Amino acid sequence: MKIFRYILPVLALASVMTSCGSQKAAVADTAKVSTASVEAPATQQVSHVAKIANSFGAWTTLKAGGSVSIGAGKSLSSSMQMRMERGKSIYISVRPMGIMEVGRLIITGDTLIVIDKLHKRYLKEDARLLTAGIPINVSTLQDIFLGRAFILGKGTLNSGMANLVSLVNVDGSYMIRPKEQFEGFEYDFKFDKNYRIKALEVIPASSTDKVTTYSVDYADVKTSLAGYIASKVNVATKINRQPLSLSLEYSGYTWNEEVVIDTKIPANYTRVTGSSLLSLFSAQ
């Protein structure tokens, strides 16, 4: 079985999405702002931002099942299980046929751990390895997985952040763009008229044609005990100049129950260095 070829791009791409400082690859621009866009008046902006932010409910832990599909030259579909502790850790287990675990990814604090059970090897690095050095944290990655707007360095969007973002009406939907962008790229979020998230888009700040480097489309946004959650997440990007698509579909949410996240690395496993990351992507 060659599934480890996909474990890292499948699970780590959510982190990579938040960066594009060193990436030159691009995919087609999918969501440009209409020329008819109208910036909302200040009082309306506060109201709309508050309604979007208030749709993100509180939670402490999450358990979910689901599936993942990847297109990277070849296609792969697999069952997976996810565990999260809010602001602390993310655990994703890849389980073909929903039975045997062949690999897992864990992010805790600022550390990334990937364990390949098939080949008895592991990677343990600073999570910024996946984001060209751009600082991220577990909370940001959790927002990306669940379909929640955020401001880098400040956390999940809340109603008190209305003055930190601009809100534009785009053909009957809303675009939220943090006023303070990270050096090297720009990012924004799209929401429909009912305040359900539609997309996250990242483009290079220096790009003259503003071609999307990372795009995330969200669908089937559902109401849960923790507010709106996107149960389908579709990513399009390029890694090492090769197109990569990722589709995640979640099912069976369980909120606020105790979760166990095992970060132990088996003693007989061989460590793979961070410099080998891309070679792992294409390992046979």
Side-chain angles (χ1 to χ4, degrees):
M1 189 178 294
K2 303 176 181 179
I3 193 168
F4 191 67
R5 175 179 183 179
Y6 301 99
I7 292 173
L8 280 172
V10 171
L11 304 175
L13 183 58
S15 332
V16 181
M17 292 186 306
T18 61
S19 74
C20 69
S22 65
Q23 300 288 339
K24 296 182 180 179
V27 295
D29 191 351
T30 58
K32 290 185 177 179
V33 178
S34 167
T35 55
S37 300
V38 178
E39 187 168 357
T43 54
Q44 292 184 22
Q45 171 168 321
V46 171
S47 175
H48 290 312
V49 172
K51 289 178 180 178
I52 290 171
N54 290 338
S55 72
F56 306 147
W59 63 282
T60 56
T61 64
L62 166 64
K63 298 178 184 178
S67 62
V68 60
S69 298
I70 313 117
K74 296 182 180 180
S75 60
L76 168 73
S77 295
S78 177
S79 300
M80 70 174 186
Q81 295 180 0
M82 177 182 288
R83 305 284 185 268
M84 293 189 189
E85 290 182 274
R86 188 170 187 179
K88 294 182 179 180
S89 55
I90 299 172
Y91 169 97
I92 301 176
S93 172
V94 178
R95 295 172 176 263
M97 308 298 293
I99 304 174
M100 181 183 71
E101 180 184 69
V102 298
R104 66 177 63 166
L105 177 144
I106 306 154
I107 297 174
T108 177
D110 60 357
T111 301
L112 165 70
I113 300 172
V114 180
I115 298 175
D116 172 15
K117 288 191 170 183
L118 291 179
H119 303 93
K120 294 186 176 181
R121 54 185 176 178
Y122 73 97
L123 180 151
K124 184 176 182 180
E125 298 287 344
D126 190 307
R128 289 181 296 179
L129 174 70
L130 302 169
T131 60
I134 294 175
I136 59 169
N137 57 36
V138 169
S139 295
T140 302
L141 301 183
Q142 289 172 341
D143 285 339
I144 291 172
F145 274 119
L146 299 177
R148 299 185 166 199
F150 56 85
I151 298 178
L152 285 174
K154 295 182 171 60
T156 309
L157 182 72
N158 62 58
S159 57
M161 295 179 176
N163 65 327
L164 302 180
V165 300
S166 61
L167 185 142
V168 177
N169 189 307
V170 185
D171 297 331
S173 59
Y174 302 102
M175 180 185 75
I176 286 182
R177 182 190 298 271
K179 293 179 180 178
E180 182 179 334
Q181 295 282 318
F182 198 87
E183 182 179 0
F185 69 91
E186 301 171 354
Y187 65 105
D188 58 54
F189 304 87
K190 312 291 192 304
F191 293 83
D192 67 17
K193 64 180 180 180
N194 296 313
Y195 310 113
R196 293 179 172 89
I197 194 165
K198 296 169 61 179
L200 161 63
E201 184 178 50
V202 181
I203 61 175
S206 60
S207 175
T208 56
D209 54 3
K210 298 300 182 184
V211 176
T212 304
T213 300
Y214 300 101
S215 64
V216 190
D217 293 322
Y218 296 100
D220 198 14
V221 178
K222 298 180 178 180
T223 301
S224 74
L225 292 177
Y228 282 161
I229 296 296
S231 60
K232 295 181 180 180
V233 181
N234 297 293
V235 179
T237 189
K238 285 190 177 182
I239 292 181
N240 198 26
R241 298 184 179 182
Q242 298 300 314
L244 177 67
S245 63
L246 167 68
S247 296
L248 299 169
E249 185 167 352
Y250 305 118
S251 62
Y253 295 103
T254 301
W255 300 97
N256 306 327
E257 292 186 359
E258 183 179 359
V259 298
V260 176
I261 296 179
D262 183 5
T263 62
K264 294 179 180 179
I265 300 171
N268 60 336
Y269 277 34
T270 301
R271 183 170 183 172
V272 179
T273 65
S275 62
S276 303
L277 183 62
L278 291 179
S279 66
L280 286 177
F281 284 175
S282 57
Q284 298 296 316

